[in-house]
Amino acid sequence: MALPHDWRDRLPAPSTYYRLCVAKLGRSNAAGWAQGVCPFHEDRSPSLSVQMADTHGGWRCWAECGSGDLVGFHMKRTGLPFTDAVRDLLGMRP
C-alpha cells in the first residue's frame, strides 16, 4: 500500500509527539527548541533538543545519538523502516 500523497501534512504535531516520547521535556525557547532526556542512551541530564514549532519536528542528540526529523526519530525509536514508520505515525494498518 502506497503512502497518501499528503502524508507529511498528516503527521502528528511535533509538540504532541515529543511530549509523549521524551522524558523531562522542558519548555520551548523562542526558536521553538525544547530540551529533554534522550531515549537512545543513558542520559542523566537533558542532551536531546527537539523542534516543537516546525512541522518537520527536527531533533538532535548532543551526545552523538544522531539527528533528523520526526519520522527519523520514530524510525530510530521503533526500529521500523521509513514507510512503516510513516504508516505507524499516521495510524494506518499495514
Side-chain angles (χ1 to χ4, degrees):
M1 177 191 331
L3 293 174
H5 72 282
D6 62 344
W7 67 266
R8 184 152 297 274
D9 296 331
R10 296 172 51 188
L11 292 174
S15 58
T16 302
Y17 177 79
Y18 287 127
R19 293 247 175 253
L20 295 172
C21 301
V22 178
K24 299 181 183 177
L25 190 59
R27 299 175 91 181
S28 300
N29 65 16
W33 290 92
Q35 302 293 120
V37 174
C38 182
F40 305 124
H41 71 273
E42 284 289 323
D43 203 1
R44 293 185 183 158
S45 60
S47 65
L48 179 73
S49 295
V50 295
Q51 177 52 255
M52 305 287 271
D54 183 295
T55 58
H56 294 284
W59 67 278
R60 178 175 182 148
C61 174
W62 298 98
E64 306 300 325
C65 285
S67 63
D69 64 1
L70 188 139
V71 175
F73 186 91
H74 193 68
M75 289 170 60
K76 186 169 180 80
R77 191 173 140 264
T78 62
L80 294 171
F82 177 81
T83 303
D84 292 340
V86 171
R87 283 188 185 116
D88 190 45
L89 286 165
L90 298 180
M92 296 174 66
R93 296 183 183 200

